[in-house]
Structure formats: structure tokens, C-alpha cells
Amino acid sequence: MARLTDLHDRAELADLTALYAVIVDQRDFARFDEVFTADALLDTGRGQRSGLAEITDAMAGLLRYEATSHTLGQQLFSVVDDAEIEGVTYCEAHHLRVDGDERIDHVMHIHYHDRFVPTPDGWRIAYRRLVVPWSADYPV
């Protein structure tokens, strides 16, 4: 399998995945056009969303949480062909919810499986699949 060797592109892909986390945690979903292609497909494991409008609507569901915090871990990018790169990013995501008088930290361990494509505005995610190997709830 070919490896991505252009450090500029690799940094741009890493920044793109980090921008996604920042947008989600800041609840600034209108900025998803900076991350996804207009016709991107998001597969959450609970259904698929196609296009920016559907992705934005789906992500607005996170507003049920008081706050979220996504911390990214290791990443691996591989060249598919001249116009596509695949990547996997590990993430620990905290979702703070209120349940009566109790606050719960719903922690998800996520693997983002992405397909990146170049656009006139830089790299964008054309496809993202979330895999959640496990999650747990902790009182805060």
C-alpha cells in the first residue's frame, strides 16, 4: 500500500480532522463546508446522511448534550490514487448530559474512517464512517 509522503498534505489532512472536532465542540455546524464536500456521505452506524444539509441536521442532535469534547489521537493516511486519500483517526469523545440532578459523561471511543478528496478550497472529507468500539457512562 502506498504511503502519503507529502508532509504539507499530511498536515492539511490532520488539520482538517482537527477542524471537524473544533467545529463540533464549538457547535458551529454552519462551518461544515470547510470540512466536507457538498455531496459528502456521513455513516454514523445509525444511518447515513448525504450532503451538507443532512450532515448538519444530524450533527445538531449533539445539542442535547450540555457540552462535548473531542480529543484526537493517532492517525494514519494512505494514498488510494491521484485524487483520493484514505485515513483513520482515533478519538476519545466526551458528551456531557444532564439526567435529572445528575450529570453524566458519556465517553465514546471512536475511529473515524475517512476518504479525502482535493477541491479548489483544499482537501475535504467526501466520506466519513464512525466506528465506536466501546463507550461508557461516568458520573461527573
Side-chain angles (χ1 to χ4, degrees):
M1 179 182 298
R3 295 278 188 214
L4 182 64
T5 58
D6 184 318
L7 293 178
H8 179 267
D9 282 341
R10 189 185 190 300
E12 194 173 326
L13 295 171
D15 284 352
L16 185 62
T17 57
L19 179 59
Y20 168 85
V22 168
I23 287 171
V24 169
D25 291 341
Q26 292 180 350
R27 302 164 182 245
D28 194 6
F29 308 130
R31 292 182 59 200
F32 273 149
D33 64 335
E34 298 174 41
V35 175
F36 293 102
T37 61
D39 60 348
L41 181 66
L42 174 66
D43 182 351
T44 65
R46 293 183 179 175
Q48 294 186 349
R49 306 294 188 271
S50 180
L52 284 173
E54 283 188 21
I55 291 171
T56 299
D57 287 347
M59 298 307 290
L62 292 173
L63 295 174
R64 70 184 177 271
Y65 297 106
E66 188 174 295
T68 61
S69 179
H70 291 70
T71 303
L72 303 182
Q74 64 267 33
Q75 296 181 299
L76 183 63
F77 302 109
S78 300
V79 174
V80 175
D81 58 36
D82 291 339
E84 189 174 296
I85 291 175
E86 290 181 346
V88 62
T89 300
Y90 281 55
C91 175
E92 181 176 285
H94 295 260
H95 302 75
L96 185 62
R97 74 172 188 262
V98 177
D99 188 8
D101 292 335
E102 195 174 30
R103 293 171 82 207
I104 305 293
D105 182 7
H106 178 65
V107 181
M108 299 172 67
H109 297 272
I110 302 170
H111 303 166
Y112 295 114
H113 296 266
D114 296 320
R115 190 174 68 243
F116 303 92
V117 296
T119 74
D121 297 317
W123 289 101
R124 294 293 186 268
I125 299 171
Y127 173 79
R128 170 164 273 193
R129 179 171 56 97
L130 279 69
V131 175
V132 182
W134 79 90
S135 63
D137 289 334
Y138 301 97
V140 175

